[in-house]
Amino acid sequence: MDEYDLNDDERELAGMVRAFADEVVAPRSYEADRTHALPMDVVAQMGELGLFGLPFPEEYGGQGGDYFALCLAIEALGRVDQSIAITLEAGVSLGAMPVFRFGTEQQKQELLPDLLAGRALAGFGLTEPEAGSDAGATRTTARLVGAASGDGGEWVINGSKQFITNSGTPITRFVTVTAVTGENDGRKEISTIIVPNGTPGFTVEPGYDKVGWRASDTHPLTFQDARVPEGNLLGERGRGFASFLHILDEGRIAIAALSTGAAEGCLEAAVDYAAKRTVFGEALSTRQGIQFLLARMKQRVHVSRLAWHHAARLRDAGKPFKTAAAIAKLTASDAAMDNARDATQVFGGNGFMNEYSVARHYRDSKILEIGEGTSEVQLLVIARALGIA
């Protein structure tokens, strides 16, 4: 990792998480994928290592690190198990970060310690059946009632969300949902509201039967007159959509790191297999066609890592990073998908068997081109930065 200009602390963190991934996560990955079950004991160990608290200040129970440190950990996990990596990514970027960024001091003191210790998880309810890339098409509503009584009002929430990560685990504490809370000049006023799990009228539906990320916890959510206190508003009323666009920009860097890890995992597996596999009396790795394919895979990993490093450094320096994040996410998700396809080809028939990591990466990597903004959305962000869209 020296070639990427890491300091001693960053190098130590990357090495520690990589060892954890190899020794604890990888041996469980096949069975977790086969049974569609998130191993909660592994999540607990991630909490004990401080991974959920990496980019948060110590006053809330965090590790006092930065976003770059979080992404180093996500990359190391994504190399062996994308389901575990996305559990960490979503737990931080979509669960704890909105509270830290936009919550009141009371909300931070109440919610962050358990989230940052990995004792609790939270979901981020943005996507709906009719509102994916077009998140402004949100139909879920939250109506404030009783506010004029002096006893404090309540939000009455109706609607549905889909594809919500970490929303139904045994330790899920709440979900933060975007909802239409009114209109301003004929435009929807979208706000964000914290809805604790167990709230009457809030139902976490059965989990999905997914192509990939099968050990990751993902559910649709429904709200039927679900009532929460007025004080559960997160951030300024009417600023929910704008706030979460910023959260998504950060999340794209983390997904780029995860994608880079996946691309590297495919490369490592393919290099090892090609060296051991004998074809017509010679190692597969002696074939120039295979050598060139593996070289391309290495190129993709290198460029992807440089891209997310650049975006994360900009973010941590307080500089504009929106375009860099889009470039990193686009570059790295393409690399993950391409490397998964090429690694599967190197493995031949074995690559079609789920017990091999490349098969899981092949299934898992497609969502990297979709989640937290599709590749088309990233292209639109980049085009806008060029002033042509």
Side-chain angles (χ1 to χ4, degrees), residues 148-163:
S149 67
D151 296 327
E154 290 183 314
W155 295 105
V156 181
I157 305 170
N158 284 280
S160 61
K161 300 291 181 178
Q162 65 180 8
F163 312 144

PDB file of all heavy atoms in Angstrom, residues 148-163:
ATOM      1  N   ALA A 148     -50.335  22.661  17.518  1.00  0.00           N
ATOM      2  CA  ALA A 148     -50.854  23.893  18.111  1.00  0.00           C
ATOM      3  C   ALA A 148     -51.407  23.678  19.512  1.00  0.00           C
ATOM      4  O   ALA A 148     -51.774  24.628  20.191  1.00  0.00           O
ATOM      5  CB  ALA A 148     -51.953  24.473  17.209  1.00  0.00           C
ATOM      6  N   SER A 149     -51.446  22.421  19.977  1.00  0.00           N
ATOM      7  CA  SER A 149     -52.048  22.137  21.275  1.00  0.00           C
ATOM      8  C   SER A 149     -51.162  22.531  22.449  1.00  0.00           C
ATOM      9  O   SER A 149     -51.621  22.638  23.575  1.00  0.00           O
ATOM     10  CB  SER A 149     -52.355  20.640  21.388  1.00  0.00           C
ATOM     11  OG  SER A 149     -51.162  19.880  21.417  1.00  0.00           O
ATOM     12  N   GLY A 150     -49.875  22.723  22.174  1.00  0.00           N
ATOM     13  CA  GLY A 150     -48.946  23.050  23.241  1.00  0.00           C
ATOM     14  C   GLY A 150     -48.306  21.834  23.874  1.00  0.00           C
ATOM     15  O   GLY A 150     -47.381  21.960  24.672  1.00  0.00           O
ATOM     16  N   ASP A 151     -48.822  20.658  23.551  1.00  0.00           N
ATOM     17  CA  ASP A 151     -48.267  19.427  24.116  1.00  0.00           C
ATOM     18  C   ASP A 151     -47.240  18.787  23.195  1.00  0.00           C
ATOM     19  O   ASP A 151     -46.715  17.714  23.496  1.00  0.00           O
ATOM     20  CB  ASP A 151     -49.401  18.414  24.379  1.00  0.00           C
ATOM     21  CG  ASP A 151     -50.378  18.915  25.430  1.00  0.00           C
ATOM     22  OD1 ASP A 151     -49.933  19.620  26.351  1.00  0.00           O
ATOM     23  OD2 ASP A 151     -51.578  18.603  25.309  1.00  0.00           O
ATOM     24  N   GLY A 152     -46.948  19.435  22.068  1.00  0.00           N
ATOM     25  CA  GLY A 152     -46.029  18.842  21.099  1.00  0.00           C
ATOM     26  C   GLY A 152     -46.808  18.019  20.087  1.00  0.00           C
ATOM     27  O   GLY A 152     -47.695  17.246  20.449  1.00  0.00           O
ATOM     28  N   GLY A 153     -46.487  18.222  18.827  1.00  0.00           N
ATOM     29  CA  GLY A 153     -47.222  17.532  17.777  1.00  0.00           C
ATOM     30  C   GLY A 153     -46.631  16.178  17.444  1.00  0.00           C
ATOM     31  O   GLY A 153     -45.661  15.721  18.053  1.00  0.00           O
ATOM     32  N   GLU A 154     -47.257  15.542  16.457  1.00  0.00           N
ATOM     33  CA  GLU A 154     -46.791  14.256  15.959  1.00  0.00           C
ATOM     34  C   GLU A 154     -46.777  14.272  14.440  1.00  0.00           C
ATOM     35  O   GLU A 154     -47.630  14.921  13.806  1.00  0.00           O
ATOM     36  CB  GLU A 154     -47.705  13.112  16.419  1.00  0.00           C
ATOM     37  CG  GLU A 154     -47.656  12.794  17.882  1.00  0.00           C
ATOM     38  CD  GLU A 154     -48.542  11.595  18.210  1.00  0.00           C
ATOM     39  OE1 GLU A 154     -49.696  11.554  17.726  1.00  0.00           O
ATOM     40  OE2 GLU A 154     -48.071  10.689  18.935  1.00  0.00           O
ATOM     41  N   TRP A 155     -45.820  13.558  13.870  1.00  0.00           N
ATOM     42  CA  TRP A 155     -45.813  13.316  12.437  1.00  0.00           C
ATOM     43  C   TRP A 155     -46.579  12.027  12.163  1.00  0.00           C
ATOM     44  O   TRP A 155     -46.292  10.992  12.760  1.00  0.00           O
ATOM     45  CB  TRP A 155     -44.386  13.164  11.911  1.00  0.00           C
ATOM     46  CG  TRP A 155     -43.547  14.403  12.038  1.00  0.00           C
ATOM     47  CD1 TRP A 155     -42.559  14.645  12.939  1.00  0.00           C
ATOM     48  CD2 TRP A 155     -43.618  15.556  11.207  1.00  0.00           C
ATOM     49  NE1 TRP A 155     -42.003  15.875  12.742  1.00  0.00           N
ATOM     50  CE2 TRP A 155     -42.638  16.478  11.668  1.00  0.00           C
ATOM     51  CE3 TRP A 155     -44.409  15.925  10.115  1.00  0.00           C
ATOM     52  CZ2 TRP A 155     -42.436  17.721  11.088  1.00  0.00           C
ATOM     53  CZ3 TRP A 155     -44.209  17.164   9.541  1.00  0.00           C
ATOM     54  CH2 TRP A 155     -43.228  18.046  10.015  1.00  0.00           C
ATOM     55  N   VAL A 156     -47.536  12.112  11.255  1.00  0.00           N
ATOM     56  CA  VAL A 156     -48.293  10.927  10.840  1.00  0.00           C
ATOM     57  C   VAL A 156     -47.799  10.555   9.441  1.00  0.00           C
ATOM     58  O   VAL A 156     -47.995  11.300   8.474  1.00  0.00           O
ATOM     59  CB  VAL A 156     -49.807  11.194  10.824  1.00  0.00           C
ATOM     60  CG1 VAL A 156     -50.561   9.926  10.416  1.00  0.00           C
ATOM     61  CG2 VAL A 156     -50.269  11.688  12.186  1.00  0.00           C
ATOM     62  N   ILE A 157     -47.148   9.402   9.342  1.00  0.00           N
ATOM     63  CA  ILE A 157     -46.421   9.024   8.131  1.00  0.00           C
ATOM     64  C   ILE A 157     -47.167   7.928   7.385  1.00  0.00           C
ATOM     65  O   ILE A 157     -47.601   6.938   7.976  1.00  0.00           O
ATOM     66  CB  ILE A 157     -44.999   8.536   8.487  1.00  0.00           C
ATOM     67  CG1 ILE A 157     -44.272   9.608   9.317  1.00  0.00           C
ATOM     68  CG2 ILE A 157     -44.205   8.201   7.225  1.00  0.00           C
ATOM     69  CD1 ILE A 157     -42.972   9.133   9.915  1.00  0.00           C
ATOM     70  N   ASN A 158     -47.296   8.123   6.062  1.00  0.00           N
ATOM     71  CA  ASN A 158     -47.920   7.126   5.193  1.00  0.00           C
ATOM     72  C   ASN A 158     -47.098   6.992   3.917  1.00  0.00           C
ATOM     73  O   ASN A 158     -46.660   7.995   3.341  1.00  0.00           O
ATOM     74  CB  ASN A 158     -49.351   7.528   4.834  1.00  0.00           C
ATOM     75  CG  ASN A 158     -50.320   7.303   5.979  1.00  0.00           C
ATOM     76  OD1 ASN A 158     -50.771   6.195   6.226  1.00  0.00           O
ATOM     77  ND2 ASN A 158     -50.614   8.387   6.697  1.00  0.00           N
ATOM     78  N   GLY A 159     -46.898   5.754   3.494  1.00  0.00           N
ATOM     79  CA  GLY A 159     -46.158   5.526   2.258  1.00  0.00           C
ATOM     80  C   GLY A 159     -45.351   4.246   2.332  1.00  0.00           C
ATOM     81  O   GLY A 159     -45.587   3.380   3.179  1.00  0.00           O
ATOM     82  N   SER A 160     -44.381   4.139   1.437  1.00  0.00           N
ATOM     83  CA  SER A 160     -43.550   2.932   1.388  1.00  0.00           C
ATOM     84  C   SER A 160     -42.152   3.282   0.893  1.00  0.00           C
ATOM     85  O   SER A 160     -41.953   4.266   0.181  1.00  0.00           O
ATOM     86  CB  SER A 160     -44.181   1.877   0.476  1.00  0.00           C
ATOM     87  OG  SER A 160     -44.291   2.364  -0.855  1.00  0.00           O
ATOM     88  N   LYS A 161     -41.204   2.459   1.288  1.00  0.00           N
ATOM     89  CA  LYS A 161     -39.817   2.565   0.850  1.00  0.00           C
ATOM     90  C   LYS A 161     -39.361   1.184   0.398  1.00  0.00           C
ATOM     91  O   LYS A 161     -39.911   0.165   0.816  1.00  0.00           O
ATOM     92  CB  LYS A 161     -38.920   3.072   1.982  1.00  0.00           C
ATOM     93  CG  LYS A 161     -39.301   4.448   2.529  1.00  0.00           C
ATOM     94  CD  LYS A 161     -39.038   5.565   1.537  1.00  0.00           C
ATOM     95  CE  LYS A 161     -39.406   6.933   2.112  1.00  0.00           C
ATOM     96  NZ  LYS A 161     -39.105   8.040   1.169  1.00  0.00           N
ATOM     97  N   GLN A 162     -38.343   1.142  -0.442  1.00  0.00           N
ATOM     98  CA  GLN A 162     -37.838  -0.156  -0.881  1.00  0.00           C
ATOM     99  C   GLN A 162     -36.313  -0.160  -0.941  1.00  0.00           C
ATOM    100  O   GLN A 162     -35.681   0.889  -1.006  1.00  0.00           O
ATOM    101  CB  GLN A 162     -38.411  -0.541  -2.245  1.00  0.00           C
ATOM    102  CG  GLN A 162     -38.006   0.351  -3.405  1.00  0.00           C
ATOM    103  CD  GLN A 162     -38.623  -0.125  -4.717  1.00  0.00           C
ATOM    104  OE1 GLN A 162     -39.462  -1.014  -4.743  1.00  0.00           O
ATOM    105  NE2 GLN A 162     -38.211   0.477  -5.821  1.00  0.00           N
ATOM    106  N   PHE A 163     -35.759  -1.384  -0.878  1.00  0.00           N
ATOM    107  CA  PHE A 163     -34.314  -1.616  -0.957  1.00  0.00           C
ATOM    108  C   PHE A 163     -33.562  -0.950   0.202  1.00  0.00           C
ATOM    109  O   PHE A 163     -32.488  -0.389   0.003  1.00  0.00           O
ATOM    110  CB  PHE A 163     -33.733  -1.119  -2.291  1.00  0.00           C
ATOM    111  CG  PHE A 163     -34.489  -1.540  -3.516  1.00  0.00           C
ATOM    112  CD1 PHE A 163     -34.613  -0.691  -4.602  1.00  0.00           C
ATOM    113  CD2 PHE A 163     -35.070  -2.799  -3.603  1.00  0.00           C
ATOM    114  CE1 PHE A 163     -35.296  -1.076  -5.748  1.00  0.00           C
ATOM    115  CE2 PHE A 163     -35.768  -3.187  -4.744  1.00  0.00           C
ATOM    116  CZ  PHE A 163     -35.879  -2.330  -5.810  1.00  0.00           C
TER     117      PHE A 163
END
